[in-house]
Amino acid sequence: MSGGEWARYAGTMNIRRKLFRRWRGAWRGWTATLGALAGLAASTRGADPAESYAVEVSATVQSNPARITLTWTADPGVVNTYSVFRKDPGATNWTALINLQGTAMNYADSNVTIGRVYEYQVVRRAPTLTGYGYVAAAIERPVVDDRGKVVLVVDQTIAGPLATELDQLAQDLIGDGWTVARHDVGRADSPAAVRDVIRAEYVADPARTAAVLLLGHVPVALSGNLNIDGHGSRPLPADAYYGDVDGNWTDANGDGVFDQDEIPSDVELMVGRVDFADMPGAQASASFPGETELLRRYLAKDHAYRQGIRRTTPRALLGDRFEDYGGEAFAASGFRNFAALLGPGRTQVANTADNAPAAERWISLLAAADFQWVYGAGGGTVNSSSGLGLHGAFNDVWSSDLVAPGARGTFYLLFGSRFVEWNQPDNLLRAALAAPDYGLAAAWAGRPHLFFQHMAVGEPIGYGIRLSQNNRSLYTNQVNNNTRGIHVALLGDPTLRLQVVRPPGRLDIAPGGGAPALSWAPSADAAAGYHVYRSIAATGPFARLTTSPVTSTAYTDLSAPAGSFTYMVRAVRLEVSGSASYYNLSQGVFATATVTTPATGGSSGDIGGGSSGATGGGSGATGSASGGGAIEAWFVAALAAAALCRARLRPEGLRAKI
Ligand SMILES: [Ca+2]
Ligand SMILES: [Ca+2]
């Protein structure tokens, strides 16, 4: 089906629903006005038939007594039953909990334990269709200190120009609980050689290696012969290749294109790519900034998001031209994820009618306000989608619209022909990452449907893409085509999370007292206090020192042995998402200290002489007049720590050249 045909199909559907749409258009006009006036607090439920294929489930939780209450939005049609299922994360089948009448709108589960993650499936059976909804829920899930190891694969052509930004990214990842293994690769390297680098990291530590971030124009693996969108069978870019470390990807004819249409085995690593190669901005009145500049912009946005400098609003925008589409209901991927992540009534539906006033269209709403999540579906080309914008007979939105005026979505799910080929020039998915202020991730969502509900319990966005890549039918839509396709991919940083706690301010360590005495400027978000961590290396891994969060802004490490340490402090908040409560950690702030005489672990005569040969020199041993412990402490801002991080990361980069 050509782009025009997709658009015409949608047009036919429009004619069929003409009267209905007229009513809806009026209703949507009202909601758009309401949104503008009321800051969009109100629900703006539309009447997209695709919505019925999603059960828009969210959850509220309480701890005493422990209870998870699922709630869902009523469907406008006849409903026979709702069925609720549950499973543990990682389990491969659902356990039936209850069947409810079609009028039910909630279910309370009291057979739950505080701190555990539970997954729920709610199935709505109606005379003509079946809807599915999913949440990952938890009551006060504990903090996740250690996220594992992320393999940072850097296009070596950007290593120099973006050295500062790359160091900052590595420091942010460390401050988010990751261990960073950076490898710089050449654009001319083979995908197999790049995968070998990633696989070596995985083999060295399979339990902790969890994610891969491809930065710059890292070689693109092509695989399969898929007629994914009616435009003929063709190979598609396949970053899943880099996440499936042990699958048997074959190339029988030796042309460099892998044979597989589907992943040959489960994807082990969550992979994301930030790659602005071949983004000239052909439609734009002025060319896009260059590739390196777009990467610099992205890394600055990534940093601002993680640090809580740029806040995003927990609401969603959805524009859909395909609607039912034989039960595929692509936009159900938007409705069901957004309810699970953000809660009920947070999704605004754009007017995609042919005669929609400009102000009610998807791109206009997106430029006028920020939406943390965005779904958009329409007849596509590599750099456009119909029904969502302001251009031509089909109301196209162009890649340049997502870049030039500053579309304000953060996480995008987009669907339409052609632009699944994200390696094409001015690609729409990659354009979503190129906006000046917003735009951190994008994925092609509808064939198959994608499932990001675990972000509501604090998992990163890459968790959802990996789950969706490996999914066959555990999570589903009534019709869910092309599951396990090699094309399922995330453009963007896979380690980003749904909610951000602002970090503490600068961390200081004062000398004296025989133990490092930490103090820090408070975080406005640290409602639950702070956790303190220590490592022998600036690059981690960090061990947590505080059993429960400290509520003051100071901490003395009486347990420190002799040696040089990096300390990290992270703010803690009990976060409430669309389906869970969980203890969320901010980015870390860092400072270093050298202990020459430990406060504990021996008498004063012990003076740690064996370790005095470490960095402190001899001076610390005589410097302290009071109470034994002589600590050489100095203040380190994040950039200084990053410099140390860079020094440690560089050798790996050199070793990685292949
Ligand atoms: Ca081949
Ligand atoms: Ca595998």
Side-chain angles (χ1 to χ4, degrees), residues 251-259:
D251 178 11
N253 66 0
D255 67 351
V257 176
F258 293 110
D259 301 324

Side-chain angles (χ1 to χ4, degrees), residues 244 246-247 265-266 268:
D244 175 16
D246 57 5
S265 79
D266 277 1
E268 285 78 25

